[in-house]
Amino acid sequence: MTGAGTTRPRVVAVVHRAWVLHPRWSLAVRGAVAAGLAWAVAVLAPAPFSEYPFYAPLGAVVATTATPVRSLRESLQTVGALLLGALIALVADVVLAPSVLAVALVVGVALLCAGWRVLGGAGVWVANSAIFVLVLGQGEDASYVAAFAGLILVGALIGTGVNLLLPSLPLAPSDVALDALRDALTDQLDALADGLEHEGALDADEWERRREALFPTIERARRAVDVARESSRGNMRAHRHSAWASSQGRRARTLGTAAGVVDEVVRLLVDWEAAGRDDVALGPPLRPVVARALRALAAALQDTTEGDEAAGRFAAAVDDLRAEVRDSRDRSGDDHLVAGALVVVLGRAAEAVAG
């Protein structure tokens, strides 16, 4: 009995974690509920609407795939696109006999109309709707188009309602994406510090590959945070998780700044701390100091338990670098322009980490 009792909470915890980490599951549930409700309403509607109940679930699915704020706007845009396509097909059906010319003309006009700015991303539905109505609505009167558009609109409104009552708030997937970005940035910083702590120039080709490999991770994190931010607007669940959302926003800004800093540092060092250059960026005296600053930045991004202490150590490391650059400039008489640029760039990261 004890084993079964402890297993059940563990299973519930695993299922809950999978649920929050994979918003597609909740999207599937919302879509299924909205589509079922839309079908039931359409079946009960008077003729000619009840003759075509399968159009209502289409509108419901369109609405439930958007965030609560975008749901109504995108639903209206999609309904407008579907109605426009249906009207194009209806006019063609009245004017032209079924033929290759009719199909080509309908598709051509629909694709032109799909670029209408007011339709936004829903413009793709114009051509789909035109072909659909041209094939299935052939020989029907205007009541078919009215039923088609009306049921799509009803389904979209039902989907919007379900979205508002059962909104998704994908903060957990955003945290996972930000964790991946943090790990990728700290790996880059540690590897760069390793290169500076050993004699020799940095491999330009290798670091160009590293820079390019980081871009998809940055973009995934940016997209995930954007989706979470937009999902929180008009979301009844958002106020319960406002602290989480605010913390995630600050973390996203910090990591975004850090990603830009890492990219700039890599470009500066690969270009200027290179073999065969007389005017290297750092040279033996400054390389270890920069390496310590980079490791301190990696620790500040990675170690969330120490918080302000890790940020303080990084700020101190940047101050040390600034002082070493100043002293080296005084001793050698060199400008140390690139080293000074590194100080400025890392200083920007210190401000972001201190937040």
Side-chain angles (χ1 to χ4, degrees):
M1 291 296 292
T2 303
T6 56
T7 300
R8 191 176 297 110
R10 190 178 301 118
V11 171
V12 171
V14 170
V15 171
H16 179 263
R17 176 174 172 78
W19 177 270
V20 298
L21 287 178
H22 300 283
R24 182 64 58 176
W25 289 18
S26 63
L27 172 63
V29 171
R30 291 197 310 276
V33 170
L37 290 174
W39 173 274
V41 170
V43 169
L44 296 175
F49 300 99
S50 58
E51 299 174 15
Y52 311 101
F54 39 84
Y55 292 135
L58 175 59
V61 170
V62 168
T64 51
T65 55
T67 61
V69 167
R70 287 170 45 205
S71 184
L72 182 58
R73 183 183 72 247
E74 291 190 357
S75 297
L76 292 174
Q77 288 176 327
T78 301
V79 170
L82 291 169
L83 180 56
L84 180 58
L87 289 175
I88 293 170
L90 181 63
V91 171
D93 187 48
V94 171
V95 175
L96 300 172
S99 64
V100 173
L101 176 61
V103 172
L105 185 61
V106 165
V107 171
V109 173
L111 289 176
L112 284 174
C113 294
W116 193 15
R117 184 177 300 176
V118 72
L119 297 177
V124 67
W125 287 99
V126 179
N128 294 340
S129 170
I131 296 173
F132 198 69
V133 173
L134 185 66
V135 174
L136 298 182
Q138 193 171 33
E140 300 284 351
D141 56 21
S143 64
Y144 172 81
V145 175
F148 177 78
L151 289 172
I152 290 288
L153 178 59
V154 168
L157 292 174
I158 291 172
T160 299
V162 171
N163 245 9
L164 292 172
L165 292 174
L166 302 172
S168 173
L169 190 61
L171 292 173
S174 302
D175 271 347
V176 171
L178 289 173
D179 286 346
L181 175 57
R182 176 204 61 199
D183 293 342
L185 291 174
T186 54
D187 286 345
Q188 291 262 32
L189 289 165
D190 286 335
L192 194 55
D194 286 340
L196 291 176
E197 288 170 346
H198 295 83
E199 292 185 5
L202 300 176
D203 188 322
D205 292 336
E206 176 191 351
W207 277 99
E208 184 59 29
R209 289 193 296 271
R210 284 177 176 270
R211 287 182 63 237
E212 293 178 356
L214 192 58
F215 295 154
T217 306
I218 296 172
E219 187 56 34
R220 280 193 295 270
R222 183 181 292 117
R223 269 200 313 270
V225 171
D226 286 345
V227 169
R229 184 183 298 116
E230 186 168 312
S231 296
S232 66
R233 296 168 57 199
N235 193 321
M236 293 186 297
R237 294 175 54 203
H239 72 279
R240 287 186 294 163
H241 302 286
S242 58
W244 184 2
S246 297
S247 173
Q248 187 176 97
R250 289 191 299 271
R251 187 176 177 224
R253 289 190 294 273
T254 298
L255 289 175
T257 299
V261 166
V262 170
D263 188 63
E264 288 187 55
V265 169
V266 169
R267 286 191 296 106
L268 285 170
L269 290 179
V270 169
D271 288 345
W272 290 91
E273 193 69 12
R277 293 194 67 105
D278 295 328
D279 53 343
V280 293
L282 306 174
L286 293 177
R287 284 173 69 122
V289 189
V290 174
R292 285 197 295 273
L294 296 178
R295 292 198 188 280
L297 174 55
L301 295 177
Q302 189 73 44
D303 197 342
T304 57
T305 58
E306 295 191 25
D308 293 341
E309 293 183 17
R313 285 195 293 271
F314 173 51
V318 174
D319 288 339
D320 290 343
L321 174 60
R322 183 180 293 108
E324 287 291 337
V325 170
R326 188 184 301 114
D327 291 345
S328 180
R329 183 186 298 124
D330 292 340
R331 289 193 304 268
S332 66
D334 294 334
D335 290 334
H336 283 317
L337 294 179
V338 177
L342 284 171
V343 172
V344 173
V345 170
L346 291 173
R348 190 165 75 244
E351 292 176 0
V353 169

